[in-house]
């Protein structure tokens, strides 16, 4: 199997011609048309990356050598590309774009079940609030999308989330709610997740306290492990299924989105799926060089493997997308945060750290590091052109800030300019030579800008599916299986052992640091 690291030396020559981003615009008059791609409501602009057109072409040839076309075809054909778990990866089937006739029938039945259930809850009016319990992929997607829908959709029921095993999470979610009017939706693909089961138990006890035997009717499960949910005493007709071919972090399109359907309505959810389907078709059908997820993936590989950037900041200039970087942390880092290839070899350098926060807030926190830190990090800026808040002055300022940041990162401000400014302001010469370097922006810091015409459910689905496919392409390039997550297991097993020991008031066989922490907790925390 070809490995990316074996090919990297071939790319070295393009580092030289990609050295200065601003001069790339002069050298390449067609740069904008090559690096800007529009698809539906989304426009991707990768022209402010430190990558020449020739470098991009070399990366695309490499992608062809790594059989990206073949992997893409196998993905959409529903082959078992999650090789370590021998499963197909069919989240596009949830959007109607892949899947066998049986899969399509099962998805259609699930969508109908969700639609009629959501409509029933919405029309009956008994429930006023939903408490959505889940963690990781059973939480981050629904949370992000709930916020995103709020930009343009009317919310019929209040939607709260409880994810963390920290009692504060479920306490906050239940605080002030009336059990009579609360529906609890427990979402867990495995139905074995400690946090979710514990929060579900607490929520059920809370319902029972007020409703007694009637509590069961307020309790819904969404899972790929029906038996697990039934063992948890959830009646069969209150369980919504999904399938093992949907990864947790790719599952918001399935019944995992039930709370969204209830709160915002099935039509909004359908539009969300349609937006993703449009991106699926773009990814499936467009040649690699005109394919946004592929171009984004190539840029990411370039920044990580050739330029040595260790992280990627994703900064949505849209409050309603403020959970986007947290969502992407799981999507990208749980998918591609791996050092071993599918074939069991060293994968070399893979997934960067993904981080970020909403703009403009980040400007007043970590942007200093982005502009003047020793190396900084590439940034994905995400902006929404339409003003959903009926505050045109705020919106213009928001966009102006977004565009200014990418310009500042790229153009910088030379020491000569700073010196001239200080001298013009009559600063003493010795002070100028100390301060000028500190006020200098070296610039040449790469970024991409994604704009959405509006933050509709359609556009949001489109955006999320874009990143899903980017992650897939990068997984192919790095040679890792993007669809398993063995790295989360060890901590879970150890937590179970430690909890058992803590319950028994014992400290078993642990390293001295862990044993001391357990002893400390035994002294200071009350046992339940
Ligand atoms: O611990 C990681 C993980 O398995 C994620 O992959 C998943 O999204 C999350 O836990 C929650 O899992 P579940 O939906 O099975 O409760």
């Amino acid at each position: 199997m070809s490995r990316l690291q074996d090919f990297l030396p071939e790319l070295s020559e393009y580092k030289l011609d990609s050295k200065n981003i601003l001069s790339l615009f002069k050298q390449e008059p067609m740069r904008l048309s090559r690096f800007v791609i529009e698809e539906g409501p989304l426009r991707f602009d990768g022209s402010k990356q430190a990558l020449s057109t020739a470098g991009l072409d070399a990366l695309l040839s490499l992608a062809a050598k790594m059989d990206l076309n073949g992997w893409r075809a196998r993905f959409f054909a529903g082959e078992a590309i999650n090789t370590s778990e021998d499963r197909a990866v069919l989240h596009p089937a949830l959007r109607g774009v892949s899947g066998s006739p049986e899969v399509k029938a099962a998805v259609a039945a699930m969508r109908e079940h969700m639609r009629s259930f959501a409509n029933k809850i919405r029309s009956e009016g008994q429930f006023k609030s939903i408490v959505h319990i889940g963690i990781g992929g059973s939480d981050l997607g629904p949370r992000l999308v709930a916020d995103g829908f709020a930009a343009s959709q009317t919310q019929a029921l209040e939607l709260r989330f409880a994810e963390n095993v920290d009692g504060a999470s479920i306490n906050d979610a239940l605080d002030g709610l009336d059990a009579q009017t609360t529906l609890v939706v427990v979402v867990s693909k495995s139905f074995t997740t400690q946090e979710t089961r514990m929060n579900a138990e607490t929520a059920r006890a809370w319902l029972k306290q007020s409703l007694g035997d009637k509590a069961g009717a307020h309790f819904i499960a969404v899972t790929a492990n029906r038996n697990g949910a039934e063992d948890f005493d959830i009646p069969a007709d209150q369980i919504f299924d999904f399938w093992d071919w949907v990864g947790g972090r790719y599952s918001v399109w399935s019944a995992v989105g039930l709370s969204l359907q209830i709160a915002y309505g099935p039509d909004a959810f359908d539009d969300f799926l349609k937006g993703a389907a449009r991106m699926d078709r773009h990814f499936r059908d467009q040649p690699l060089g005109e394919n946004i997820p592929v171009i984004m993936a190539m840029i990411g590989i370039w920044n990580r493997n050739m330029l040595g950037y260790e992280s990627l900041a994703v900064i949505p200039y849209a409050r309603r997308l403020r959970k986007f970087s947290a969502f992407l942390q799981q999507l990208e880092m749980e998918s591609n945060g791996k050092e071993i290839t599918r074939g069991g070899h060293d994968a070399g350098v893979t997934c960067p750290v993904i981080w970020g926060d909403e703009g403009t807030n980040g400007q007043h926190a970590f942007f200093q590091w982005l502009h003047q830190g020793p190396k900084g990090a590439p940034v994905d800026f995400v902006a929404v052109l339409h003003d959903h808040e009926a505050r045109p002055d705020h919106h213009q300022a928001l966009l102006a800030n977004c565009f200014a940041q990418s310009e500042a990162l790229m153009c910088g401000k030379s020491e000569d300019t700073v010196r001239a400014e200080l001298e013009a302001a009559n600063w003493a010469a010795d002070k100028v030579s100390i301060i000028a370097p500190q006020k200098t922006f070296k610039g040449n810091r790469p970024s991409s800008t994604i704009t959405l015409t509006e933050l509709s459910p359609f556009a949001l689905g489109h955006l999320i599916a874009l990143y899903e496919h980017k992650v897939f392409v990068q997984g192919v390039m790095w040679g890792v299986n993007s669809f398993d997550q063995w790295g989360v297991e060890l901590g879970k097993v150890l937590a179970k052992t430690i909890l058992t020991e803590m319950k028994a008031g014992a400290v078993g066989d642990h390293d001295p640091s862990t044993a001391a922490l357990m002893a400390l907790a035994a002294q200071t925390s009350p046992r339940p």
Side-chain angles (χ1 to χ4, degrees):
M1 214 186 228
S2 319
R3 279 190 301 165
L4 179 69
Q5 44 189 332
D6 300 332
F7 293 110
L8 291 180
E10 291 176 20
L11 296 175
S12 296
E13 60 176 292
Y14 302 101
K15 264 172 105 170
L16 208 64
D17 69 3
S18 301
K19 235 177 166 170
N20 186 283
I21 310 172
L22 256 183
S23 55
L24 284 172
F25 281 96
K26 288 189 199 117
Q27 288 155 25
E28 300 177 345
M30 303 303 284
R31 185 166 176 81
L32 264 197
S33 56
R34 189 65 207 282
F35 278 89
V36 174
I37 308 180
E38 288 184 49
E39 166 57 30
L42 187 146
R43 178 182 185 272
F44 170 77
D45 179 352
S47 64
K48 290 195 184 92
Q49 293 288 342
L51 173 63
S52 67
T53 305
L56 176 62
D57 287 339
L59 281 158
L60 291 167
S61 325
L62 189 52
K65 272 194 212 159
M66 306 288 290
D67 192 26
L68 177 58
N69 284 308
W71 279 103
R72 182 175 58 169
R74 289 191 282 283
F75 167 50
F76 280 105
E79 286 186 27
I81 60 164
N82 176 353
T83 41
S84 65
E85 295 174 321
D86 196 24
R87 288 177 188 162
V89 176
L90 282 173
H91 45 276
L94 300 166
R95 287 100 73 144
V97 181
S98 60
S100 62
E102 295 75 43
V103 165
K104 284 192 170 118
V107 169
M110 176 273 294
R111 279 175 69 171
E112 186 42 44
H113 188 193
M114 284 170 79
R115 174 172 273 274
S116 59
F117 183 78
N119 279 336
K120 181 168 157 287
I121 301 281
R122 287 164 66 83
S123 61
E124 284 174 356
Q126 179 198 346
F127 293 108
K128 306 252 176 293
S129 313
I130 302 166
V131 175
H132 176 114
I133 296 176
I135 195 164
S138 298
D139 168 74
L140 292 163
R143 251 181 217 264
L144 163 69
V145 174
D147 270 4
F149 278 9
S152 63
Q153 306 298 306
T154 311
Q155 190 174 350
L157 282 87
E158 185 189 9
L159 181 49
R160 297 187 183 187
F161 292 89
E163 80 295 5
N164 197 332
V165 75
D166 184 333
S169 182
I170 191 70
N171 282 352
D172 286 354
L174 298 177
D175 186 39
L177 292 184
D178 175 358
Q180 290 286 353
T181 58
T182 301
L183 183 69
V184 175
V185 179
V186 182
V187 183
S188 176
K189 180 177 174 185
S190 60
F191 229 84
T192 58
T193 304
Q194 182 200 45
E195 294 91 331
T196 303
R197 287 179 73 99
M198 214 173 236
N199 282 331
E201 265 159 21
T202 302
R204 184 156 56 192
W206 175 83
L207 285 172
K208 274 193 176 154
Q209 217 170 31
S210 307
L211 307 175
D213 289 349
K214 295 201 181 100
H218 291 234
F219 216 71
I220 303 293
V222 177
T223 186
N225 174 12
R226 177 166 272 271
N227 291 340
E230 286 181 9
D231 287 349
F232 200 77
D233 284 337
I234 300 181
D237 62 350
Q238 285 169 220
I239 301 173
F240 288 75
D241 300 293
F242 65 108
W243 306 275
D244 68 2
W245 44 257
V246 187
R249 52 196 175 271
Y250 301 89
S251 66
V252 65
W253 323 96
S254 69
V256 168
L258 183 66
S259 310
L260 300 165
Q261 283 225 13
I262 302 170
Y264 291 97
D267 291 345
F269 197 76
D270 277 359
D271 285 345
F272 174 61
L273 297 179
K274 281 182 197 151
R278 179 155 179 174
M279 183 53 74
D280 290 336
R281 287 191 291 272
H282 169 85
F283 174 52
R284 184 192 62 191
D285 301 336
Q286 289 305 307
L288 302 187
E290 293 157 42
N291 198 307
I292 309 177
V294 174
I295 303 285
M296 276 179 73
M298 295 304 121
I299 287 170
I301 298 279
W302 178 258
N303 285 335
R304 182 77 185 104
N305 295 91
M306 296 304 296
L307 303 186
Y309 285 107
E310 292 182 352
S311 73
L312 168 69
V314 182
I315 319 285
Y317 275 70
R319 156 142 301 210
R320 309 244 181 252
L321 290 176
R322 66 184 182 278
K323 310 260 166 64
F324 196 42
S325 26
F327 170 81
L328 289 180
Q329 280 177 336
Q330 188 198 16
L331 181 65
E332 303 221 10
M333 293 163 80
E334 201 172 78
S335 296
N336 289 337
K338 292 161 189 173
E339 58 180 340
I340 301 296
T341 64
R342 288 171 180 274
H345 301 289
D346 175 17
V349 170
T350 63
C351 188
V353 174
I354 308 293
W355 60 283
D357 193 5
E358 68 187 285
T360 59
N361 301 13
Q363 290 173 206
H364 303 276
F366 52 80
F367 269 61
Q368 163 64 39
W369 179 87
L370 285 173
H371 287 289
Q372 286 190 319
K375 192 168 167 81
V379 181
D380 280 1
F381 291 99
V382 181
V384 178
L385 299 176
H386 179 74
D387 168 27
H388 289 278
E389 304 301 325
R391 298 269 181 215
D393 45 350
H394 285 253
H395 195 66
Q396 215 168 37
L398 180 69
L399 291 180
N401 273 283
C402 177
F403 304 158
Q405 290 301 327
S406 69
E407 188 175 42
L409 284 167
M410 176 174 71
C411 300
K413 188 171 178 184
S414 71
E415 192 170 332
D416 285 350
T417 309
V418 176
R419 268 179 191 283
E421 278 179 10
L422 296 179
E423 279 159 12
N426 295 322
W427 283 45
D430 56 339
K431 221 171 163 203
V432 169
S433 46
I434 292 171
I435 298 298
Q438 298 177 52
K439 291 182 82 143
T440 297
F441 292 72
K442 286 192 183 139
N444 205 34
R445 301 202 163 195
S447 70
S448 296
T449 300
I450 295 169
T451 47
L452 300 175
T453 50
E454 57 180 2
L455 189 51
S456 58
F458 186 95
L460 182 57
H462 207 55
L463 175 71
I464 296 174
L466 164 62
Y467 275 87
E468 285 182 349
H469 294 319
K470 181 201 91 162
V471 166
F472 170 78
V473 174
Q474 292 190 327
V476 170
M477 297 297 286
W478 286 318
V480 299
N481 178 3
S482 305
F483 302 105
D484 59 17
Q485 57 282 323
W486 303 106
V488 302
E489 295 307 326
L490 181 59
K492 288 185 192 174
V493 172
L494 294 184
K496 225 179 225 170
T497 308
I498 291 177
L499 181 58
T500 309
E501 291 172 8
M502 285 170 88
K503 281 186 171 165
V507 177
D509 182 17
H510 299 278
D511 63 88
S513 163
T514 309
L517 287 166
M518 290 171 68
L520 181 69
Q523 279 165 19
T524 52
S525 307
R527 298 240 301 275

